[in-house]
Amino acid sequence: MFHFKRNDKHPLAKRTFIHPGMLHSSSELNFLKEKVNAKTEPWISAWNELRESPAAQRSYKMAPQNHVARGPYNKPDIGATAFMKDGAAAYTMALQWIVLDDPTYAEKAIEIINGWSQALDSITMGDRKLLIGMAGIHYLNAAEIIKHTYKGWPEKEQKVFESMILNIWYPVIQDFQPSYNGNWDAAIGQTMLCIGIYLDRHDIFDRAYEHLLKGNSNGSIAYYFMPNGQCQESGRDQFHTQMGLGFLSAAAEIAWKQGFNLYGAYNNRLAAGYEYTAQYLSGAEVPYVQYTNYKGEKVFGPEISPKGRGKYSPIYERAYHHFHDRMGLEMPHTKEALKNSRIEGLGQSHMSWSTLMNAAYPPE
């Protein structure tokens, strides 16, 4: 039914990881610095918003904890919000290090990463996999930038971070959560790809890649979308639908950096999902049928959900950059959505500063 040809710049059997190589390449980090220093739009406005954020201040107070627990819909919240906020702050500090060449920001990112690496013993309760999937990508992108651009992070401290990843995070997420709504495995997958890259572990990267591409899961690209772009969660609400889209586009960007084309899977199915959802959010009508998940079960109702309609999550810059700027595809509804989502700034569920890090970058 589906046809997909792998982009094999780095075939699975013979390749090395590119570093930095998660959401941002070396050339993109250089482009960021150049545009901000030249005070060019839209980057300077996005940069100014970053600089004004509480997460950007050198006085930022982290709150690492030994035990974190997140129940359904973050109730109860035992350190979970702190875990997410501190990850976003570490990433924000790493970006400031790149632009400003000020080592105090690199050291602040390291302080946050080390604080959690040294403190955290366990993550528990029902939403623990989702929590790691949403927060881990922030920590890992921060660590990837610092590790490969700054010489002041002691190796012994890096090893403690690696131990936390392998012994506390990865055992929780390694088997995904296929039967839950698709945003879960999309979130898990984006962080698992990053784990594989950071640790130079092809087995972990490949496990995430294959699962996101074609796994028996509501969160794989094979099952999250219908050919017309209707999403597995379109009948649930538009907030969670946009979560699935945002996490999958982040995963696709991470894979792209390493030479693999999740973006193009199943005839650009991810692009269709963006266009379908953005069109519906704008007030237009879209075709809808009750969704049949990967188990063959009917989920949600016979009509698309209006919950969250007109509310735009910060997920559109990355997808528009890829499909329009790199691939030359028209994405009219996604383009319109950008008018409502810009500036895509500090996030917790989604990666932060997406306008700053994706808008109008040169195609790679």
Side-chain angles (χ1 to χ4, degrees), residues 273-324:
Y274 266 90
E275 284 291 279
Y276 177 96
T277 302
Q279 184 176 4
Y280 180 67
L281 291 177
S282 74
E285 297 306 313
V286 292
Y288 178 86
V289 297
Q290 188 172 12
Y291 208 91
T292 302
N293 68 13
Y294 82 98
K295 292 182 175 181
E297 302 166 339
K298 296 287 186 182
V299 296
F300 307 120
E303 298 179 352
I304 191 169
S305 174
K307 294 179 181 177
R309 193 177 194 183
K311 305 290 186 181
Y312 292 83
S313 298
I315 65 164
Y316 295 93
E317 293 280 14
R318 184 175 296 109
Y320 188 77
H321 170 56
H322 176 79
F323 289 112
H324 180 268

Side-chain angles (χ1 to χ4, degrees), residues 87-137:
Y91 174 65
T92 302
M93 299 299 173
L95 296 182
Q96 290 181 106
W97 149 244
I98 292 296
V99 173
L100 299 173
D101 282 326
D102 183 341
T104 61
Y105 290 104
E107 291 294 331
K108 190 68 177 181
I110 291 168
E111 177 188 334
I112 296 168
I113 295 168
N114 285 349
W116 278 96
S117 301
Q118 294 162 7
L120 188 64
D121 293 324
S122 61
I123 301 177
T124 63
M125 298 193 71
D127 274 17
R128 63 192 183 280
K129 293 187 180 186
L130 180 62
L131 175 63
I132 294 170
M134 293 189 297
I137 186 174

Side-chain angles (χ1 to χ4, degrees), residues 193-269:
L193 288 172
C194 290
I195 291 173
I197 294 166
Y198 187 78
L199 298 176
D200 288 305
R201 287 281 300 268
H202 298 289
D203 58 327
I204 294 175
F205 180 93
D206 296 349
R207 181 181 183 87
Y209 179 85
E210 296 294 341
H211 188 82
L212 288 167
L213 174 63
K214 60 185 179 181
N216 288 325
S217 164
N218 289 329
S220 70
I221 295 173
Y223 290 102
Y224 196 72
F225 306 103
M226 294 175 64
N228 70 346
Q230 181 183 322
C231 303
Q232 184 258 325
E233 296 180 273
S234 295
R236 181 186 185 190
D237 62 62
Q238 302 312 309
F239 298 113
H240 286 94
T241 298
Q242 290 179 91
M243 288 176 73
L245 286 166
F247 299 153
L248 285 171
S249 67
E253 184 64 26
I254 294 159
W256 182 266
K257 288 295 194 292
Q258 298 299 328
F260 297 97
N261 192 2
L262 285 176
Y263 278 122
Y266 314 117
N267 195 27
N268 296 317
R269 191 65 54 85

Side-chain angles (χ1 to χ4, degrees), residues 275 278 282 312 316 320 331-341:
E275 284 291 279
S282 74
Y312 292 83
Y316 295 93
Y320 188 77
M331 297 280 284
H333 301 296
T334 303
K335 183 178 181 180
E336 283 297 310
L338 279 172
K339 296 178 181 179
N340 294 282
S341 69

